[in-house]
């Protein structure tokens, strides 16, 4: 025991020594200074935080006060776009061609719908929703902000509106909106000129001011509706509406009304359009009529046609497929985009070129036998006349009246393709007409340079010979033929063809006429050249030897015309071949150009009928119906005499838009006649 005690004491003593050593190292002054710095840092942090909170409070209460008041206001105030009423479209007499009729649409605001798929499924039990409706709605929902309303179904029936109104409480974010729906009273008769509207797509929205199209669901797709979209659309308005907690409107706080689009007065004659379409009888073809005095397009018809009302709210996939797969191509606008060999309708222009370049003289008879060969080659191809015996001695007027091929073969050969190209282009062939619509093509006026560039081949004399009777590479549209005929009828004075005649301001009621645009005149060395050609065209319809005499022999007006028969195949069929034995698509196209009254023309017409034989049989009767109707209803005074007073747009009495009439009636489509 006595030995252990010193060791324990020794251990305790070591501990005390460590404590004493640590106490001896303390620095009270340094510790107080360190504490002071720490307290100061903590105070600074508290001060910075306090100042930040104070600064944010000042920012919210002073600098951003207006913004946050506005956001708070938006919780109870909604701004709703008011799409403008689309401008109406009238014909030259004030008859409505495109109107706006009341309709109801089902609209959905996605952010207010808790379960979109369940809502769509439930809505399908209340209103008819097709796959196209759902597909379009979902595509538009992906492209728009969720707080923007989207139309789910257009043109609800009264029964559907009633059913939904009863069950409205089941569908938050879904409501009925009253709209104006585009309607075309004349259906298929006017679609080729007026066009139609359809549901606006993303590409179209990107090409316009999206703010001005807020709330707008439709856009012009074809024709005048597309070309004059900005005139027809107008300017969007808005309403500031106070809503309750469920988003239902309580009252209107402010309203800026929309500015309606301009009304358009077209040069078209609705009655003439219907007559032309009826005369074509569903056959493939086109008819265009122009007022030669100013370029007014009086009729622009393609056949067979379709009802534009089908496209307004979205055509069904079944119906659209049927239109696209129809062998007679009703969606193809033949009046603007159909390119046909002009055949013998080119002969009056060729006669003018021959006289202008000194190849032939107005009254000089030349031999026209049953065939003609290119000089210098006895073994060369025979270019046959349509009459097996030929026509004997022939001057300009007879060559046109009887359509003498063997008169124009040597004329074209001597003229040459270069001079032919230069002269015919002065009548607008081979280049755009400048008409105020979409989809018009330029045709083809061949030349050496064109063939070298397009085909990589040289130009041959035989190419020139067949071009002289409107065959070969030469192509024209019915619109080009009508415009060229109008210029010829006015002895070289032409105007750019146009559809818009005047505009109407729906707010002031003012009608503003638009001036015509003159073309560069076609001047000739002598007025005798015009007289010789017009005499020959009058003989086409007035003399027994004329190719259209049988059609116009009892017609009350003097008509200048020219028939044409265009081959559509190189396969040989002679005039004695039974047409019924020729496959339908290989039969000739018939053409006819005309103007009347011949002395003071008021109307120029071009008609093409596909695969129905010669122009005198297929196309000339259509032109007769059109000319007879127009002169009877537009150009006679009280005594039955032809008058030349222009119809002033300012005197029009425009009809108001009507809400009656069934849209999209399939029976209104002109179907192709059985072949």
């Amino acid at each position: 025991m006595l030995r252990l005690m010193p060791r324990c004491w020794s251990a305790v003593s070591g501990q005390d020594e460590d404590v004493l050593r640590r106490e001896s190292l303390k620095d009270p002054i340094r510790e107080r200074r360190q504490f002071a710095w720490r307290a100061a840092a903590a105070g600074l942090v508290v001060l910075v935080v306090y100042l930040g909170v104070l600064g944010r409070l000042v920012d919210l209460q002073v600098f951003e006060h207006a913004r946050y008041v506005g956001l708070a206001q938006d919780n109870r105030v909604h701004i709703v776009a008011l799409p403008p009423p689309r401008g109406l479209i009238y014909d030259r007499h004030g008859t409505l061609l495109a109107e706006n009729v009341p309709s109801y649409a089902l609209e959905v605001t996605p952010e207010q719908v808790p379960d979109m798929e369940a809502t769509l499924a439930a809505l399908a039990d209340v209103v008819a929703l097709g796959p196209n409706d759902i597909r379009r709605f979902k595509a538009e929902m992906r492209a728009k902000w969720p707080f923007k309303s989207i139309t789910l179904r257009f043109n609800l029936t009264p029964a559907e509106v009633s059913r939904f109104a009863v069950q409205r409480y089941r569908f938050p974010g879904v409501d009925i909106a009253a709209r104006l729906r585009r309607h075309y009273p004349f259906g298929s008769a006017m679609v080729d000129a007026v066009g139609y509207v359809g549901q606006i797509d993303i590409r179209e929205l990107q090409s316009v001011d999206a703010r001005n199209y807020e709330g707008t669901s439709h856009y012009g797709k074809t024709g005048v509706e597309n070309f004059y979209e900005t005139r027809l659309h107008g300017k969007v308005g808005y309403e500031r509406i106070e809503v309750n907690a469920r988003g239902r409107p309580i009252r209107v706080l402010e309203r800026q009304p929309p500015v309606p689009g301009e009304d358009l007065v077209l040069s078209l004659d609705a009655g003439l359009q219907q007559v032309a379409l009826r005369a074509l009888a569903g056959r493939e073809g086109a008819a265009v009529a122009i007022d030669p005095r100013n370029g007014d397009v009086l009729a622009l018809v393609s056949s067979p046609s379709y009802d534009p009302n089908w496209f307004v709210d979205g055509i069904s996939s079944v119906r659209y497929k049927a239109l696209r797969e129809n062998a007679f191509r009703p969606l193809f606008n033949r009046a603007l985009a159909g390119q046909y060999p002009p055949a013998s309708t080119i002969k009056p222009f060729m006669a003018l070129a021959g006289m202008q370049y000194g190849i032939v003289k107005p009254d000089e008879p030349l031999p026209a036998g049953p065939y003609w060969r290119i000089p210098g080659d006895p073994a060369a191809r025979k270019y046959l006349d349509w009459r097996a015996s030929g026509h004997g001695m022939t001057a300009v007027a007879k060559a046109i009246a009887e359509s003498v091929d063997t008169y124009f073969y040597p004329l074209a050969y001597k003229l040459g393709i270069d001079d032919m190209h230069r002269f015919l282009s002065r009548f607008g062939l081979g280049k755009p007409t400048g008409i105020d619509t979409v989809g018009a093509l330029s045709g083809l006026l061949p030349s050496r340079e064109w063939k070298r560039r397009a085909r990589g081949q040289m130009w041959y004399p035989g190419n020139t010979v067949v071009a002289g009777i409107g065959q070969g590479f030469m192509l024209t549209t019915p619109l080009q033929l009508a415009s060229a005929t109008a210029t010829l009828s006015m002895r070289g004075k032409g105007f750019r063809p146009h559809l818009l005649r005047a505009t109407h301001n729906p707010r002031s009621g003012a009608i503003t006429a638009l001036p015509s645009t003159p073309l560069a005149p076609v001047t000739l060395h002598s007025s005798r050249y015009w007289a010789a050609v017009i005499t020959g065209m009058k003989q086409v319809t007035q003399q027994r030897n004329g190719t259209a005499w049988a059609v116009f022999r009892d017609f009350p007006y003097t008509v200048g015309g020219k028939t044409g028969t265009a081959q559509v195949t190189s396969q040989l069929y002679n005039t004695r071949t039974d047409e019924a034995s020729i496959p339908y698509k290989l039969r000739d196209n018939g053409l006819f150009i005309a103007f009347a009254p011949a002395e003071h023309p008021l109307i120029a017409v071009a008609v093409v009928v596909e695969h129905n034989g010669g122009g005198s049989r297929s196309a000339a009767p259509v032109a007769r119906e059109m000319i007879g109707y127009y002169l009877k209803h537009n150009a006679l005074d009280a005594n039955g005499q032809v008058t030349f007073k222009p119809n002033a747009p300012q005197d029009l009495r425009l009809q108001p838009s009507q809400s009656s009439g069934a849209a999209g009636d399939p029976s209104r489509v002109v179907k192709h006649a059985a072949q």
Side-chain angles (χ1 to χ4, degrees):
M1 292 292 294
L2 291 174
R3 286 180 192 171
L4 293 172
M5 287 181 64
R7 289 183 181 177
C8 295
W9 174 253
S10 175
V12 171
S13 297
Q15 231 174 4
D16 292 342
E17 286 177 4
D18 291 340
V19 171
L20 291 173
R21 190 179 299 111
R22 285 197 300 272
E23 289 178 354
S24 67
L25 294 176
K26 286 184 178 180
D27 187 350
I29 296 174
R30 183 175 62 82
E31 289 181 353
R32 284 195 296 271
R33 188 183 299 117
Q34 188 178 34
F35 176 80
W37 277 108
R38 289 175 178 175
L44 181 61
V45 170
V46 171
L47 179 62
V48 169
V49 172
Y50 175 78
L51 291 176
V53 172
L54 181 63
R56 182 57 178 161
L57 182 62
V58 172
D59 182 57
L60 292 174
Q61 294 294 327
V62 178
F63 299 107
E64 296 196 41
H65 173 76
R67 174 172 174 261
Y68 284 99
V69 167
L71 290 175
Q73 186 77 354
D74 286 345
N75 288 332
R76 68 180 186 88
V77 177
H78 288 180
I79 296 178
V80 179
L82 300 177
R86 191 172 181 84
L88 307 179
I89 301 178
Y90 298 89
D91 84 337
R92 65 189 299 110
H93 301 298
T95 303
L96 265 171
L97 306 180
E99 62 179 340
N100 302 320
V101 297
S103 70
Y104 294 95
L106 192 66
E107 294 194 344
V108 179
T109 305
E111 72 171 6
Q112 298 177 11
V113 179
D115 187 339
M116 185 61 72
E117 292 300 328
T119 298
L120 293 177
L123 281 171
D125 296 330
V126 180
V127 300
L129 294 178
N132 289 340
D133 297 321
I134 302 296
R135 190 182 308 113
R136 178 195 50 77
F137 170 78
K138 290 184 176 180
E140 197 169 348
M141 188 171 64
R142 289 190 295 269
K144 284 189 173 183
W145 294 103
F147 56 84
K148 299 289 186 181
S149 64
I150 302 172
T151 302
L152 175 59
R153 211 346 259 291
F154 293 94
N155 201 28
L156 298 176
T157 66
E160 289 173 327
V161 173
S162 300
R163 285 199 302 270
F164 178 82
V166 172
Q167 303 186 53
R168 168 68 181 80
Y169 68 93
R170 295 175 49 202
F171 304 103
V174 185
D175 214 337
I176 297 289
R179 291 182 175 272
L180 290 175
R181 178 181 181 272
R182 202 63 157 178
H183 178 243
Y184 302 97
F186 287 88
S188 58
M190 305 300 301
V191 63
D192 302 301
V194 175
Y196 60 82
V197 299
Q199 295 163 16
I200 193 168
D201 58 34
I202 302 301
R203 178 183 56 83
E204 291 160 344
L205 271 176
Q206 293 173 346
S207 67
V208 298
D209 182 0
R211 292 172 299 178
N212 194 39
Y213 276 75
E214 188 70 37
T216 299
S217 58
H218 287 71
Y219 189 91
K221 300 292 184 178
T222 62
V224 168
E225 289 275 28
N226 176 269
F227 192 87
Y228 289 110
E229 169 65 30
T230 54
R231 284 181 178 266
L232 289 163
H233 178 260
K235 185 177 180 181
V236 70
Y238 69 88
E239 280 184 344
R240 296 179 68 245
I241 301 176
E242 184 177 6
V243 297
N244 60 19
R246 295 188 177 185
R248 301 301 300 274
I250 299 175
R251 59 176 175 147
V252 176
L253 302 177
E254 182 183 356
R255 188 176 194 273
Q256 176 66 46
V259 178
E262 283 185 300
D263 298 335
L264 305 184
V265 180
L266 304 186
S267 57
L268 296 171
D269 185 311
L272 183 61
Q273 283 273 133
Q274 291 178 297
V275 166
L277 193 57
R278 187 164 54 246
L280 285 167
R283 296 170 294 175
E284 295 167 277
V288 179
I290 293 177
D291 187 333
R293 302 168 299 168
N294 51 28
D296 281 359
V297 176
L298 305 173
L300 194 148
V301 176
S302 176
S303 174
S305 192
Y306 59 95
D307 194 332
N309 293 296
W310 291 346
F311 287 85
V312 173
D313 291 331
I315 189 170
S316 70
S317 57
V318 174
R319 177 172 282 167
Y320 187 61
K321 182 180 179 182
L323 287 174
R324 284 182 58 86
E325 295 179 354
N326 189 317
F328 303 111
R329 301 184 297 168
L331 295 176
F332 179 51
N333 191 331
R334 291 169 167 85
L336 297 174
Q339 299 184 109
Y340 305 91
S344 294
T345 61
I346 204 68
K347 290 176 180 176
F349 305 96
M350 287 296 299
L352 288 173
M355 290 183 286
Q356 177 70 4
Y357 285 96
I359 308 300
V360 296
K361 297 179 181 179
D363 300 320
E364 178 186 14
L366 298 173
Y371 64 88
W372 181 83
R373 282 194 176 106
I374 293 177
D377 186 0
R381 168 188 170 183
K382 290 182 179 181
Y383 293 93
L384 302 177
D385 191 83
W386 67 268
R387 180 182 290 174
S389 60
H391 296 265
M393 299 304 290
T394 302
V396 168
K398 178 182 176 181
I400 294 172
E402 299 183 19
S403 197
V404 183
D405 292 334
T406 48
Y407 182 89
F408 289 96
Y409 292 144
L411 188 157
Y413 177 77
K414 294 175 184 177
L415 186 62
I417 191 61
D418 295 326
D419 286 341
M420 188 187 306
H421 182 276
R422 276 191 290 269
F423 187 82
L424 295 180
S425 65
R426 297 170 66 185
F427 287 88
L429 301 181
K431 53 188 178 182
T433 61
I435 190 172
D436 49 342
T437 188
V438 294
L441 298 185
S442 302
L444 174 60
L445 187 58
S447 65
R448 295 177 191 274
E449 179 186 356
W450 167 83
K451 191 178 181 186
R452 187 182 303 112
R453 183 179 66 252
R455 301 291 182 93
Q457 299 173 354
M458 64 178 295
W459 187 266
Y460 297 104
N463 299 145
T464 303
V465 173
V466 296
I469 61 167
Q471 294 281 175
F473 299 116
M474 188 180 295
L475 298 172
T476 59
T477 68
L479 175 63
Q480 285 180 315
L481 273 180
S483 180
T485 303
T487 301
L488 188 155
S489 72
M490 297 293 288
R491 290 170 165 79
K493 183 179 179 182
F495 294 88
R496 180 185 299 168
H498 60 268
L499 287 163
L500 182 60
R501 193 160 182 255
T503 60
H504 171 248
N505 188 320
R507 291 177 294 170
S508 67
I511 296 179
T512 304
L514 291 137
S516 299
T517 303
L519 300 173
V522 180
T523 55
L524 302 181
H525 296 324
S526 173
S527 60
R528 294 175 58 230
Y529 303 162
W530 296 111
V533 167
I534 291 174
T535 296
M537 295 182 75
K538 288 162 62 178
Q539 291 178 6
V540 168
T541 64
Q542 288 186 298
Q543 291 193 2
R544 187 176 292 272
N545 64 329
T547 53
W549 174 79
V551 177
F552 287 91
R553 58 182 172 180
D554 57 347
F555 199 58
Y557 310 104
T558 303
V559 176
K562 183 68 193 79
T563 56
T565 303
Q567 294 179 342
V568 297
T569 178
S570 59
Q571 186 171 346
L572 295 178
Y573 293 103
N574 59 47
T575 56
R576 291 179 293 276
T577 302
D578 181 14
E579 187 177 73
S581 65
I582 302 174
Y584 173 74
K585 287 294 183 180
L586 299 183
R587 298 175 191 173
D588 295 339
N589 293 336
L591 300 94
F592 189 73
I593 60 173
F595 54 88
E599 298 80 9
H600 302 283
L602 302 177
I603 181 173
V605 175
V607 179
V608 177
V609 180
E610 298 179 17
H611 314 303
N612 273 261
S616 60
R617 187 180 65 193
S618 60
V622 177
R624 174 190 164 117
E625 292 292 324
M626 294 174 65
I627 294 171
Y629 174 88
Y630 184 75
L631 294 183
K632 179 179 179 180
H633 291 85
N634 295 272
L636 297 182
D637 59 20
N639 298 319
Q641 300 298 314
V642 175
T643 179
F644 308 111
K645 180 181 178 181
N647 182 11
Q650 293 86 345
D651 298 334
L652 289 175
R653 294 183 179 180
L654 303 180
Q655 299 177 8
S657 177
Q658 302 294 325
S659 60
S660 61
D665 180 2
S667 66
R668 301 181 69 175
V669 173
V670 178
K671 298 181 175 62
H672 192 283
Q675 297 297 332

